[in-house]
Every structure is written in structure tokens, then in C-alpha cells.
Amino acid sequence: MFKLIPTDEKFFEMFTQSANLFLKGAGLLREIAQDNSLIKTNALKLERLEHDADQLTHEVLVRLDRSFITPIDREDIHRLTLALDDCMDTMEAATDHMVLYGIEATTEPVKSMAEYIEAQAKQIVAMMPLVKKLQWDLVRPFCIEINRLENDGDRVTRQALGDLFSPGIDVLDVIRWRDIYELLEGTTDRAEDVAGIVEGIVLKHG
């Protein structure tokens, strides 16, 4: 039987490239959480990675605009491309705020969130090469794990935000850490968005 889906797999390759940039950035975030002396250095590296991710996103969208036939629906390519880019943008914003607010030492919630984000990124990297197969049973375990990690991140964030309002906490510290925690939690949300979009793609085309 002939294939109904075009064999051009460049878009899938670019999705994997974007996922790998996210994973590399997540590794830098984990290093910051483990070694506070790396906050400024790794934040700068992450900023550069974010620019690379933006450039890749631009290349995907230009290719999409110029392609007459695409391997999956155009809107799915567009949504997944932007969702992957959002992961990097939100994570980079978190480290940027650490530098902006003069953070010198991270907290246990930051360490936990960094681990969850890196774990999600690893799942996304492993899942991306399977998307082109358009088989739900192949991507389902990764989607489930990414969602579980997002739920764990939610619990850590809620507890961390609640602790900020304990007696004796400086108001400025509340503002600083609230923004950082919410951006880290937002990164886990964006990773979950990627899983949801992938799930929709394989269910539609599979």
C-alpha cells in the first residue's frame, strides 16, 4: 500500500533538535540548583541557548510557510513548534529573574523543580523520534510520565508558595521567590503542553 503521509521527515528532525536544546538548558538549570556559584554563568549560557531555540523555531516556521505538503497537519506543526519554544523561554525567564533579583543561594524547592524539569526534558527528547510513527502506544508512556512530573511540580510549588507567607518572611523575598517559583512551575506546565500536543497528533493521524 502506498503511504498517505509524505516521507519528508525534516520537521520531525527539527522537533528533536528543539527538544535537545530544552534538555541542554534543563541541565544548566539543574547545575544552578546544585551549585549556586553558577547562577550568573549558567544563566548567560541559557540565554544563548534560548536564542538558538528562537532561531530554530524561526527556521521551522519558514519551512512550514514554504512547504506545499507537510507530513502532519500544518496547525499541529505550528503548535508543537511554539510549545517546544515556550519550554525554553519560560525556563530561561526563571534564571534571568534569579540574576535580576540578585539571588545568591537557591532553595530546596528550586532544586526539586530543576530535577522535575530535566526529567521532563529527557522524556520529551526520548519521545520526539517516535512522533513520526504516529502510534499512540509508543508515545503514551512518555506523556504519562511528563504529566506525573508536572503534578509533582505543582505540589512542590504550592508548598513553596505557602511557606513564603510564614511569619518573619521579608516582603521582598516573597516577591522574588514567588516569581521564580511560578516561572519554574510554568516550565513544567509548558512541558506538559508538549505532551498534550503530541498526544493529539498521534491520535488524529494514527
Side-chain angles (χ1 to χ4, degrees), residues 6-197:
T7 57
D8 179 10
E9 298 182 350
K10 184 63 176 177
F11 286 111
F12 297 116
E13 294 172 9
M14 297 172 92
F15 293 152
T16 298
Q17 291 173 24
S18 183
N20 277 304
L21 287 173
F22 177 38
L23 177 57
K24 189 173 182 179
L28 293 173
L29 175 63
R30 175 184 45 76
E31 289 177 359
I32 287 174
Q34 295 176 344
D35 184 351
N36 300 156
S37 68
L38 296 175
I39 291 177
K40 291 184 178 179
T41 301
N42 279 19
L44 182 59
K45 291 179 180 178
L46 223 162
E47 181 182 356
R48 292 168 180 162
L49 271 182
E50 191 271 334
H51 290 321
D52 292 341
D54 282 346
Q55 179 60 38
L56 179 58
T57 296
H58 175 72
E59 291 173 7
V60 175
L61 296 181
V62 168
R63 184 180 184 87
L64 181 61
D65 183 61
R66 295 176 178 175
S67 297
F68 179 69
I69 299 176
T70 55
I72 56 177
D73 290 349
R74 304 175 70 87
E75 61 267 25
D76 290 330
I77 293 174
H78 190 269
R79 289 178 65 223
L80 183 53
T81 299
L82 295 185
L84 286 163
D85 189 56
D86 285 344
C87 290
M88 181 67 79
D89 286 346
T90 311
M91 181 171 60
E92 191 274 330
T95 58
D96 182 61
H97 275 66
M98 290 182 193
V99 175
L100 178 66
Y101 291 153
I103 300 298
E104 296 181 353
T106 57
T107 62
E108 287 302 316
V110 170
K111 293 177 183 178
S112 296
M113 293 300 292
E115 291 175 0
Y116 293 143
I117 290 168
E118 185 176 40
Q120 284 183 310
K122 288 178 179 178
Q123 293 292 314
I124 290 173
V125 166
M127 177 176 65
M128 277 304 145
L130 303 175
V131 176
K132 63 187 176 183
K133 296 182 182 297
L134 301 177
Q135 295 180 27
W136 165 232
D137 59 317
L138 294 181
V139 302
R140 180 173 181 269
F142 300 99
C143 293
I144 290 174
E145 180 62 9
I146 291 167
N147 292 341
R148 184 191 69 79
L149 290 164
E150 190 277 334
N151 289 333
D152 288 346
D154 276 349
R155 285 192 288 271
V156 169
T157 302
R158 285 196 299 269
Q159 182 62 53
L161 291 174
D163 291 344
L164 289 178
F165 294 93
S166 301
I169 301 294
D170 184 87
V171 174
L172 291 179
D173 283 336
V174 172
I175 295 172
R176 293 186 186 101
W177 287 111
R178 180 196 62 193
D179 288 350
I180 292 169
Y181 291 153
E182 288 181 347
L183 285 166
L184 291 173
E185 196 270 337
T187 305
T188 65
D189 288 343
R190 301 294 80 75
E192 185 181 40
D193 290 343
V194 169
I197 293 168

